[in-house]
Amino acid sequence: AAGFVIYALDIHFSVERFENDEIEMIQFAFDDEIPAIDAVHDNYILKREASLEDGETGIKKEVPNSVDFPGYIQVVDGANSSYSENLSYFTATLNIGGEYYVFQMIGKGENMGYLYDDFIEILSSVKL
């Protein structure tokens, strides 16, 4: 995993690669058989939802055609507690050459609406 912070914008960006043994454990946790990419993405979203006191989760969608790899993208909004500010979590899971990566960009909810296209551009810039 790797993470980056842009303090001036209060944005955190991370990317995490999942190993096959991790993916198998994640898949095993689901009741039904589930493809690896769905297991990784859904598990990541479920953990994010559990970390928020009052969250809202957007619809899971396939990444746009501008992204060279198959995957899903989803947004979760919420706060860690009633005293913390609302954050938006842009989350995408990509299958890159048979390996699974989760990309996440996190920031203040009020600012993130302007940055969704930038997140897509970051995903579109990923090369094998």
Side-chain angles (χ1 to χ4, degrees), residues 9-10 77-78 85-90 106-115:
L9 298 173
D10 284 328
D77 293 303
E85 58 191 320
N86 195 49
L87 299 175
S88 289
Y89 302 83
F90 297 168
I106 305 165
K108 291 180 181 179
E110 62 212 31
N111 299 339
M112 293 298 281
Y114 301 105
L115 299 172

Side-chain angles (χ1 to χ4, degrees), residues 1-120:
F4 308 92
V5 179
I6 302 172
Y7 292 102
L9 298 173
D10 284 328
I11 294 175
H12 298 260
F13 180 83
S14 66
V15 61
E16 185 175 352
R17 181 172 63 93
F18 285 82
E19 301 284 339
N20 285 332
D21 57 336
E22 293 174 294
I23 294 169
E24 288 173 5
M25 287 175 48
I26 293 169
Q27 285 176 300
F28 183 75
F30 286 91
D31 291 335
D32 298 321
E33 280 193 39
I34 184 170
I37 194 164
D38 289 288
V40 171
H41 184 84
D42 294 354
N43 182 65
Y44 217 90
I45 294 295
L46 288 169
K47 287 187 182 242
R48 175 55 63 207
E49 290 170 337
S51 75
L52 301 174
E53 189 170 286
D54 187 25
E56 292 183 18
T57 303
I59 297 170
K60 176 177 156 183
K61 301 183 287 189
E62 290 186 9
V63 293
N65 292 333
S66 63
V67 180
D68 291 337
F69 303 99
Y72 296 110
I73 190 167
Q74 201 163 5
V75 178
V76 178
D77 293 303
N80 294 331
S81 71
S82 59
Y83 301 106
S84 54
E85 58 191 320
N86 195 49
L87 299 175
S88 289
Y89 302 83
F90 297 168
T91 306
T93 306
L94 300 180
N95 177 346
I96 302 171
E99 295 185 336
Y100 297 92
Y101 293 81
V102 175
F103 296 82
Q104 192 167 219
M105 191 161 76
I106 305 165
K108 291 180 181 179
E110 62 212 31
N111 299 339
M112 293 298 281
Y114 301 105
L115 299 172
Y116 188 79
D117 290 341
D118 296 304
F119 186 61
I120 299 296

Side-chain angles (χ1 to χ4, degrees), residues 66 68 120-127:
S66 63
D68 291 337
I120 299 296
E121 281 188 46
I122 291 168
L123 297 174
S124 298
S125 73
V126 174
K127 304 295 179 211

